[in-house]
Amino acid sequence: MNILGTRSLALLALSSATLAASSETSPAPWQSALVSYDPATGALDYAADAEGNRIPDFSHAGYRGADVPLPGLDAIPVLATLTPEPGDNTERLQTALDALAEHPVDPATGLRGALLLSPGVFEVRATLYLRHSGVVLLGSGSGDDPARDTILRRTGTETTAVLVAGNPQQYDKFSHAVPDTRVDIVTPRVQVGSRAFSVADASPFSVGDTVVVEHPVTEAWIQALDGGGTAADPDWKVGDSEAEMTIRYLRRVTAIRPASGPGEHPTLEIDAPVYNHLDRSLSQSTVYRYDTSAFVTEVGVARLRVDIETEGPEAENHARDGIIFRGALDCWARDVTVLHFVAAGIKFGPDFARGTVLDSRALDPHCRVKPPFRYNFCVNQGQLILFENCHATHARHAFISNGTTMDSGIVFLDCVNDHSTATSEGHRRWSHGLLFDGIVTREHASNGPAILGLYNRGDWGNGHGWAAAHSVAWRCDTAGGRLTVQKPPTAQNYAIGCFGNVTGRGSFPQPAGYIEGSQRPGLQPASLYRAQLAARRGASER
């Protein structure tokens, strides 16, 4: 099945109803002034503003950078099968998962195979770890019928996650350079969306190397951001452990071009863009080789239901998170339902890149409606991640980037949000390169709350300040709730073709972001992510 999947019938019906209400006839197609789209060829072109801000290419978000489909569930070899037993199944499940590491990795797919769980209820009282590359935990169905579905029922008062996929000991935020490989980026200003830059020395690198592009936090950069826009809180500052403001992008080298002449420098090309300007006058960026051997790869979770047993809707003495992917690359979840968590249903990070969550649900958290709870689908120090056709209910922040500058290239595509009490958003301290594409709100709390925010959060939290930059809301529908988009210093945010109360006004006054075509149906392309992916794949085939 294609990585893009399919929309749910409910979402299709809702989208159709929205368009029908907007016009009794087919709406006239229109395009953004910032994204030129040729329907015949699929080609895209992006206009930049006077500061060089432009909409970047988000199509690299997802498993393996969206270059290949997710593994077909029926094609994954089943290496072992378990049926539930009465009482705590944690130890026997963990033993079975670890035993799969004895099987070889298929070099063509990166997979070993799956542990298949039969229909029924598997009680677990502690965390299960998917800590070996190429292992898939495959259930029989994600519904609530134990006769045909697989239900992991977490019991007890242990607050650790139900499932952790990856290496929980891996935590360096991509910061440890391979010795003697760090070199300066000498391009004066690498524009947001760029995939190439000149370097002082290309000799440490070869095509195919994994590298990190690093933009350090400096006082000059913070001041260019108006101190972070923290309102009554202190400015962000260099060395503040709370801020963690260094930007890092995990990438691969795709080409190396030698210097073109005397006084020139060699150029590196990388596999995915940078999502922030790298301005040498504000911060000297570098690039270095990075060792990913400690990371777990090619882990999947599919067709199961994680049901956390609780003492009631406001109890908090149970598992905080359903599924966490961390210390891992190129992993995925598909057709998974998670219920009654405290903090997150499905979360990526820290130390994660290139993942997909498809056709999944994070529903009905059990806890108070307060920070830092009810972040149903969450990224916290991860990048290049795609959430597609996911459904959140009773969230505070249904779809959220919460990892500061370490979060970038995050896409929420065709997702549905019911009964939220706060915003889906970039949450704090310059998360950037976020795309909310076709997000639909079906119902929300009373009093018209904010539903989607690409904005300044001022002194909320601990100096959250500018919480999103170079981020886009594309054809989203907030059901009349507020969609706030504001312009950060040195950057831009965008709301294009959206429905609802689209505004530049937030709780902290700032310039309005780029707002275009609100309440206007017919935007082409209908999905920015899908169009970007098709254009990139088409270009590679030409």
Side-chain angles (χ1 to χ4, degrees), residues 419-437:
H419 298 287
S420 65
T421 59
T423 47
S424 294
E425 63 184 19
H427 191 57
R428 60 190 176 111
R429 301 194 183 222
W430 211 257
S431 54
H432 57 289
L434 315 177
L435 171 62
F436 295 84
D437 188 340

Side-chain angles (χ1 to χ4, degrees), residues 444-464:
H444 55 68
S446 60
N447 302 321
I451 297 298
L452 184 57
L454 305 174
Y455 62 155
N456 179 275
R457 287 176 53 84
D459 53 20
W460 288 347
N462 189 349
H464 284 186

Side-chain angles (χ1 to χ4, degrees), residues 263-440:
E264 300 297 320
H265 294 89
T267 296
L268 292 189
E269 296 182 9
I270 54 177
D271 62 334
V274 299
Y275 291 103
N276 197 73
H277 303 301
L278 308 182
D279 190 332
R280 203 176 182 197
S281 70
L282 301 176
S283 177
Q284 175 58 67
S285 295
T286 60
V287 59
Y288 51 84
R289 290 208 330 260
Y290 184 77
D291 182 3
T292 61
S293 58
F295 286 74
V296 172
T297 63
E298 301 290 342
V299 167
V301 180
R303 285 198 317 221
L304 58 83
R305 187 179 190 87
V306 176
D307 188 351
I308 300 169
E309 186 177 273
T310 79
E311 295 178 359
E314 293 190 351
E316 292 161 8
N317 59 339
H318 52 271
R320 288 179 60 88
D321 302 298
I323 302 172
I324 299 176
F325 291 90
R326 58 169 300 175
L329 310 170
D330 299 317
C331 298
W332 48 273
R334 183 173 188 171
D335 186 17
V336 172
T337 300
V338 185
L339 301 103
H340 306 152
F341 49 90
V342 173
I346 300 179
K347 180 169 72 174
F348 287 90
D351 285 29
F352 185 91
R354 299 187 303 264
T356 293
V357 180
L358 178 65
D359 298 338
S360 294
R361 296 147 294 278
L363 309 176
D364 299 336
H366 277 195
C367 56
R368 289 170 291 171
V369 183
K370 58 169 286 186
F373 302 156
R374 298 178 182 246
Y375 299 3
N376 294 34
F377 292 95
C378 179
V379 178
N380 193 329
Q381 299 178 21
Q383 54 189 265
L384 299 177
I385 298 165
L386 170 67
F387 297 84
E388 184 188 354
N389 194 27
C390 293
H391 184 192
T393 66
H394 300 283
R396 290 183 60 250
H397 304 296
F399 306 105
I400 186 171
S401 165
N402 192 32
T404 72
T405 55
M406 286 298 293
D407 284 0
S408 64
I410 313 300
V411 175
F412 300 98
L413 173 66
D414 284 350
C415 295
V416 176
N417 176 19
D418 283 339
H419 298 287
S420 65
T421 59
T423 47
S424 294
E425 63 184 19
H427 191 57
R428 60 190 176 111
R429 301 194 183 222
W430 211 257
S431 54
H432 57 289
L434 315 177
L435 171 62
F436 295 84
D437 188 340
I439 303 299
V440 170

Side-chain angles (χ1 to χ4, degrees), residues 54-67:
R54 59 180 176 177
I55 291 177
D57 181 0
F58 295 96
S59 71
H60 300 270
Y63 167 75
R64 292 202 191 183
D67 290 329

